[in-house]
Amino acid sequence: MSQALVKIAAGWLLGLMLAVAAAVVAVNLVNDSVASPQQPVREYLDALHKGDGGRALGLLRASVPESSAAMLDGSALQTAAARISNVKLGKEEVQADGRVKVPMDYTIDGSRLHTDFLLEKTGTEWLFFDTWAFVPAPLPVLDATVVNSSEATLNGVPVNMPNGRNSFAVFYPGEYEASLNDEYFSAPPTKATVSGRDVPPAPLNLLTQATDGLKEAVSGKVKEFLDTCAAGAVEQQRLQPDCPFYHATNNRVTPGTIKWEITEYPKVSIEPFGGQWVVSPLDGKARVTAQQEDLFTGQISELNVVQDFSFTTRLDIGADTITVTPILTY
């Protein structure tokens, strides 16, 4: 063989070797990028941020426990994922069973958190490129309770709370915030972070309170009742009217001189009790004035007494009505 042919053959061989080496490098680069175990994680996080629960569930290959699915799609899911920032995916860690663990560090509300995703190799594409998928597992469940209410708001979405409680299947990682902001009742927001499939999230417990609007409405009803009662006592000229307040005396009171007025209205406090809302005992003061005659001496004097009084009520709250029923004991 001539020297020229040898050089040509050597050149072809070198080119073939370089092509093979380049192909191997390309395959390795693909396996380290789009065909790496991190890629399904990236796609899953993208689905969470877009609120695409169907795609996220398919990628995660997760089963949905018996629970509410209100947090698994749309704005509720987007809100949970929107609070994730500073995401850093680590290099996969091979487990003893051949599966790999993909670590992820991130931040939620300023707290640095960590989640491990477990994946398994499911085959190859085009003979060279690895395919990876999440190891199937049930989704975490977030429990929530609310005092004396059958509804609440979770991640901005109204949710039903039968008997004041419910359970919600959730994706991870994410943050979930519950609140109640009704016309008559409200609860301060409370948050729970879900960091992994095997880390049970802390329950969301809403401590419901009566709003200032409800207290003002009830106070108005109580004031109206007391003012009406006092006016009726004056009209009927009674020292012992059918009211929470009264005055007892052994003196003769001059007819037409009895006057009642409320000098201190009760402060309204509304608390949950036994699945109901109750008004705490109402304490106030009423002044009675009149002209009186001592039956023994005949002396005429002015009656001017402030009486403490206390009574209870029954509170009934309808969709559009508030009813306060005084309960008087004698």
Side-chain angles (χ1 to χ4, degrees), residues 276-309:
Q276 303 287 332
W277 289 97
V278 298
V279 180
S280 299
L282 298 168
D283 301 324
K285 297 179 183 295
R287 181 187 301 276
V288 58
T289 59
Q291 190 179 74
Q292 59 182 355
E293 178 185 356
D294 189 306
L295 294 177
F296 295 100
T297 64
Q299 183 177 357
I300 302 297
S301 63
E302 295 296 324
L303 172 67
N304 190 333
V305 177
V306 174
Q307 299 282 5
D308 294 328
F309 64 84

Side-chain angles (χ1 to χ4, degrees), residues 229-238 258:
C229 218
V234 173
E235 182 180 355
Q236 298 168 17
Q237 287 294 288
R238 296 177 62 184
I258 297 175

Side-chain angles (χ1 to χ4, degrees), residues 209-250:
Q209 300 173 340
T211 63
D212 290 340
L214 177 59
K215 294 177 184 177
E216 290 172 3
V218 173
S219 293
K221 300 280 186 180
V222 170
K223 183 177 185 299
E224 180 183 7
F225 162 69
L226 291 173
D227 288 344
T228 300
C229 218
V234 173
E235 182 180 355
Q236 298 168 17
Q237 287 294 288
R238 296 177 62 184
L239 287 179
Q240 299 182 10
D242 296 327
C243 296
F245 44 83
Y246 65 92
H247 178 70
T249 181
N250 291 322

